[in-house]
Amino acid sequence: MRRLKPHMNRTEALYESSRCLFCFDAPCIQACPSGIDIPQFIRQINSGNDTGAARTIYEANYFGNACGKVCPTEVLCEGACVYNLQDVKPIEIGRLQSYATTKVIESGKKLFGPGEANGKSVAVIGAGPSGISAACEPAGVGVRSGCI
């Protein structure tokens, strides 16, 4: 199966991340529906901190890996990139996001875990992306949660 957005290797990720201008107003963040701190995770990739980049992504979006592959970045964050105003190819944010999250998945590192159990529980109605995301939040602070 051919990927819509081909996977980047380390060299490609370093090159692409070095192109980012780290804009003060970060129009890419404003255009991201999940509000990922895009300049931050790109800076982390560029400094060799792929795990930190993945953490930055997942803190804002529990589906960061899938979104890096299927999100229409060309009309969202990449569409807002200031390079578009200069007729320069925008930063490949989706591919960089996929790169960082795939690296941490392949490494087997665990970025987050449940908090210490506190005896409380919550049920979330609906097991779609928003339901699963809603169940993850309380689990992080020790509340037993699940989707129904």
PDB file of all heavy atoms in Angstrom, residues 116-137:
ATOM      1  N   GLU A 116      -1.998   7.756  39.369  1.00  0.00           N
ATOM      2  CA  GLU A 116      -2.269   6.866  40.498  1.00  0.00           C
ATOM      3  C   GLU A 116      -3.776   6.821  40.752  1.00  0.00           C
ATOM      4  O   GLU A 116      -4.440   7.866  40.851  1.00  0.00           O
ATOM      5  CB  GLU A 116      -1.540   7.370  41.742  1.00  0.00           C
ATOM      6  CG  GLU A 116      -1.632   6.418  42.909  1.00  0.00           C
ATOM      7  CD  GLU A 116      -0.826   6.894  44.087  1.00  0.00           C
ATOM      8  OE1 GLU A 116       0.186   7.598  43.888  1.00  0.00           O
ATOM      9  OE2 GLU A 116      -1.227   6.560  45.214  1.00  0.00           O
ATOM     10  N   ALA A 117      -4.325   5.619  40.836  1.00  0.00           N
ATOM     11  CA  ALA A 117      -5.773   5.436  41.007  1.00  0.00           C
ATOM     12  C   ALA A 117      -6.261   6.175  42.243  1.00  0.00           C
ATOM     13  O   ALA A 117      -5.646   6.119  43.305  1.00  0.00           O
ATOM     14  CB  ALA A 117      -6.114   3.955  41.106  1.00  0.00           C
ATOM     15  N   ASN A 118      -7.383   6.886  42.067  1.00  0.00           N
ATOM     16  CA  ASN A 118      -7.934   7.653  43.184  1.00  0.00           C
ATOM     17  C   ASN A 118      -9.338   7.187  43.566  1.00  0.00           C
ATOM     18  O   ASN A 118     -10.014   7.826  44.348  1.00  0.00           O
ATOM     19  CB  ASN A 118      -7.922   9.152  42.867  1.00  0.00           C
ATOM     20  CG  ASN A 118      -8.756   9.508  41.660  1.00  0.00           C
ATOM     21  OD1 ASN A 118      -9.608   8.738  41.224  1.00  0.00           O
ATOM     22  ND2 ASN A 118      -8.511  10.679  41.105  1.00  0.00           N
ATOM     23  N   GLY A 119      -9.792   6.072  42.976  1.00  0.00           N
ATOM     24  CA  GLY A 119     -11.094   5.510  43.329  1.00  0.00           C
ATOM     25  C   GLY A 119     -12.270   6.114  42.582  1.00  0.00           C
ATOM     26  O   GLY A 119     -13.403   5.654  42.721  1.00  0.00           O
ATOM     27  N   LYS A 120     -12.039   7.112  41.790  1.00  0.00           N
ATOM     28  CA  LYS A 120     -13.128   7.730  41.026  1.00  0.00           C
ATOM     29  C   LYS A 120     -13.195   7.103  39.645  1.00  0.00           C
ATOM     30  O   LYS A 120     -12.215   6.570  39.139  1.00  0.00           O
ATOM     31  CB  LYS A 120     -12.904   9.237  40.908  1.00  0.00           C
ATOM     32  CG  LYS A 120     -12.933   9.948  42.240  1.00  0.00           C
ATOM     33  CD  LYS A 120     -12.701  11.426  42.080  1.00  0.00           C
ATOM     34  CE  LYS A 120     -12.704  12.090  43.454  1.00  0.00           C
ATOM     35  NZ  LYS A 120     -12.423  13.506  43.365  1.00  0.00           N
ATOM     36  N   SER A 121     -14.375   7.178  39.039  1.00  0.00           N
ATOM     37  CA  SER A 121     -14.517   6.653  37.681  1.00  0.00           C
ATOM     38  C   SER A 121     -15.503   7.506  36.900  1.00  0.00           C
ATOM     39  O   SER A 121     -16.323   8.217  37.475  1.00  0.00           O
ATOM     40  CB  SER A 121     -14.980   5.195  37.705  1.00  0.00           C
ATOM     41  OG  SER A 121     -16.237   5.068  38.314  1.00  0.00           O
ATOM     42  N   VAL A 122     -15.387   7.415  35.595  1.00  0.00           N
ATOM     43  CA  VAL A 122     -16.247   8.177  34.701  1.00  0.00           C
ATOM     44  C   VAL A 122     -16.485   7.348  33.447  1.00  0.00           C
ATOM     45  O   VAL A 122     -15.606   6.604  33.013  1.00  0.00           O
ATOM     46  CB  VAL A 122     -15.616   9.551  34.352  1.00  0.00           C
ATOM     47  CG1 VAL A 122     -14.331   9.387  33.584  1.00  0.00           C
ATOM     48  CG2 VAL A 122     -16.581  10.424  33.568  1.00  0.00           C
ATOM     49  N   ALA A 123     -17.681   7.452  32.907  1.00  0.00           N
ATOM     50  CA  ALA A 123     -17.997   6.781  31.647  1.00  0.00           C
ATOM     51  C   ALA A 123     -18.196   7.854  30.585  1.00  0.00           C
ATOM     52  O   ALA A 123     -18.813   8.886  30.833  1.00  0.00           O
ATOM     53  CB  ALA A 123     -19.269   5.942  31.779  1.00  0.00           C
ATOM     54  N   VAL A 124     -17.654   7.619  29.428  1.00  0.00           N
ATOM     55  CA  VAL A 124     -17.784   8.546  28.319  1.00  0.00           C
ATOM     56  C   VAL A 124     -18.691   7.900  27.283  1.00  0.00           C
ATOM     57  O   VAL A 124     -18.459   6.758  26.877  1.00  0.00           O
ATOM     58  CB  VAL A 124     -16.399   8.870  27.704  1.00  0.00           C
ATOM     59  CG1 VAL A 124     -16.547   9.765  26.497  1.00  0.00           C
ATOM     60  CG2 VAL A 124     -15.492   9.506  28.741  1.00  0.00           C
ATOM     61  N   ILE A 125     -19.716   8.599  26.880  1.00  0.00           N
ATOM     62  CA  ILE A 125     -20.638   8.062  25.880  1.00  0.00           C
ATOM     63  C   ILE A 125     -20.080   8.381  24.501  1.00  0.00           C
ATOM     64  O   ILE A 125     -19.886   9.545  24.150  1.00  0.00           O
ATOM     65  CB  ILE A 125     -22.050   8.636  26.059  1.00  0.00           C
ATOM     66  CG1 ILE A 125     -22.592   8.243  27.435  1.00  0.00           C
ATOM     67  CG2 ILE A 125     -22.974   8.147  24.943  1.00  0.00           C
ATOM     68  CD1 ILE A 125     -23.898   8.888  27.808  1.00  0.00           C
ATOM     69  N   GLY A 126     -19.826   7.327  23.750  1.00  0.00           N
ATOM     70  CA  GLY A 126     -19.285   7.471  22.409  1.00  0.00           C
ATOM     71  C   GLY A 126     -17.826   7.066  22.365  1.00  0.00           C
ATOM     72  O   GLY A 126     -17.040   7.455  23.228  1.00  0.00           O
ATOM     73  N   ALA A 127     -17.486   6.244  21.388  1.00  0.00           N
ATOM     74  CA  ALA A 127     -16.113   5.745  21.286  1.00  0.00           C
ATOM     75  C   ALA A 127     -15.442   6.217  20.005  1.00  0.00           C
ATOM     76  O   ALA A 127     -14.547   5.566  19.486  1.00  0.00           O
ATOM     77  CB  ALA A 127     -16.105   4.224  21.365  1.00  0.00           C
ATOM     78  N   GLY A 128     -15.864   7.369  19.508  1.00  0.00           N
ATOM     79  CA  GLY A 128     -15.192   7.959  18.355  1.00  0.00           C
ATOM     80  C   GLY A 128     -13.968   8.719  18.824  1.00  0.00           C
ATOM     81  O   GLY A 128     -13.583   8.641  20.008  1.00  0.00           O
ATOM     82  N   PRO A 129     -13.340   9.470  17.943  1.00  0.00           N
ATOM     83  CA  PRO A 129     -12.124  10.203  18.326  1.00  0.00           C
ATOM     84  C   PRO A 129     -12.316  11.130  19.518  1.00  0.00           C
ATOM     85  O   PRO A 129     -11.473  11.170  20.414  1.00  0.00           O
ATOM     86  CB  PRO A 129     -11.772  10.992  17.064  1.00  0.00           C
ATOM     87  CG  PRO A 129     -12.390  10.225  15.951  1.00  0.00           C
ATOM     88  CD  PRO A 129     -13.639   9.612  16.512  1.00  0.00           C
ATOM     89  N   SER A 130     -13.423  11.851  19.571  1.00  0.00           N
ATOM     90  CA  SER A 130     -13.603  12.773  20.699  1.00  0.00           C
ATOM     91  C   SER A 130     -13.912  12.018  21.985  1.00  0.00           C
ATOM     92  O   SER A 130     -13.461  12.418  23.062  1.00  0.00           O
ATOM     93  CB  SER A 130     -14.693  13.803  20.397  1.00  0.00           C
ATOM     94  OG  SER A 130     -15.908  13.166  20.080  1.00  0.00           O
ATOM     95  N   GLY A 131     -14.644  10.904  21.907  1.00  0.00           N
ATOM     96  CA  GLY A 131     -14.916  10.102  23.100  1.00  0.00           C
ATOM     97  C   GLY A 131     -13.660   9.481  23.664  1.00  0.00           C
ATOM     98  O   GLY A 131     -13.422   9.497  24.871  1.00  0.00           O
ATOM     99  N   ILE A 132     -12.831   8.936  22.797  1.00  0.00           N
ATOM    100  CA  ILE A 132     -11.577   8.333  23.247  1.00  0.00           C
ATOM    101  C   ILE A 132     -10.672   9.405  23.852  1.00  0.00           C
ATOM    102  O   ILE A 132     -10.062   9.201  24.903  1.00  0.00           O
ATOM    103  CB  ILE A 132     -10.884   7.587  22.090  1.00  0.00           C
ATOM    104  CG1 ILE A 132     -11.733   6.367  21.692  1.00  0.00           C
ATOM    105  CG2 ILE A 132      -9.471   7.162  22.480  1.00  0.00           C
ATOM    106  CD1 ILE A 132     -11.296   5.686  20.419  1.00  0.00           C
ATOM    107  N   SER A 133     -10.601  10.550  23.205  1.00  0.00           N
ATOM    108  CA  SER A 133      -9.795  11.647  23.751  1.00  0.00           C
ATOM    109  C   SER A 133     -10.326  12.086  25.111  1.00  0.00           C
ATOM    110  O   SER A 133      -9.553  12.333  26.038  1.00  0.00           O
ATOM    111  CB  SER A 133      -9.800  12.841  22.788  1.00  0.00           C
ATOM    112  OG  SER A 133      -9.142  12.511  21.598  1.00  0.00           O
ATOM    113  N   ALA A 134     -11.649  12.168  25.232  1.00  0.00           N
ATOM    114  CA  ALA A 134     -12.249  12.576  26.503  1.00  0.00           C
ATOM    115  C   ALA A 134     -11.967  11.555  27.602  1.00  0.00           C
ATOM    116  O   ALA A 134     -11.815  11.924  28.768  1.00  0.00           O
ATOM    117  CB  ALA A 134     -13.756  12.764  26.338  1.00  0.00           C
ATOM    118  N   ALA A 135     -11.864  10.279  27.264  1.00  0.00           N
ATOM    119  CA  ALA A 135     -11.561   9.247  28.259  1.00  0.00           C
ATOM    120  C   ALA A 135     -10.090   9.274  28.675  1.00  0.00           C
ATOM    121  O   ALA A 135      -9.747   8.876  29.790  1.00  0.00           O
ATOM    122  CB  ALA A 135     -11.923   7.871  27.717  1.00  0.00           C
ATOM    123  N   CYS A 136      -9.223   9.738  27.806  1.00  0.00           N
ATOM    124  CA  CYS A 136      -7.787   9.781  28.122  1.00  0.00           C
ATOM    125  C   CYS A 136      -7.462  10.821  29.186  1.00  0.00           C
ATOM    126  O   CYS A 136      -6.591  10.601  30.025  1.00  0.00           O
ATOM    127  CB  CYS A 136      -6.974  10.082  26.861  1.00  0.00           C
ATOM    128  SG  CYS A 136      -6.890   8.711  25.703  1.00  0.00           S
ATOM    129  N   GLU A 137      -8.129  11.940  29.162  1.00  0.00           N
ATOM    130  CA  GLU A 137      -7.830  13.025  30.099  1.00  0.00           C
ATOM    131  C   GLU A 137      -7.979  12.594  31.560  1.00  0.00           C
ATOM    132  O   GLU A 137      -7.039  12.740  32.339  1.00  0.00           O
ATOM    133  CB  GLU A 137      -8.699  14.248  29.811  1.00  0.00           C
ATOM    134  CG  GLU A 137      -8.332  14.970  28.539  1.00  0.00           C
ATOM    135  CD  GLU A 137      -6.986  15.667  28.599  1.00  0.00           C
ATOM    136  OE1 GLU A 137      -6.602  16.187  29.666  1.00  0.00           O
ATOM    137  OE2 GLU A 137      -6.300  15.675  27.575  1.00  0.00           O
TER     138      GLU A 137
END
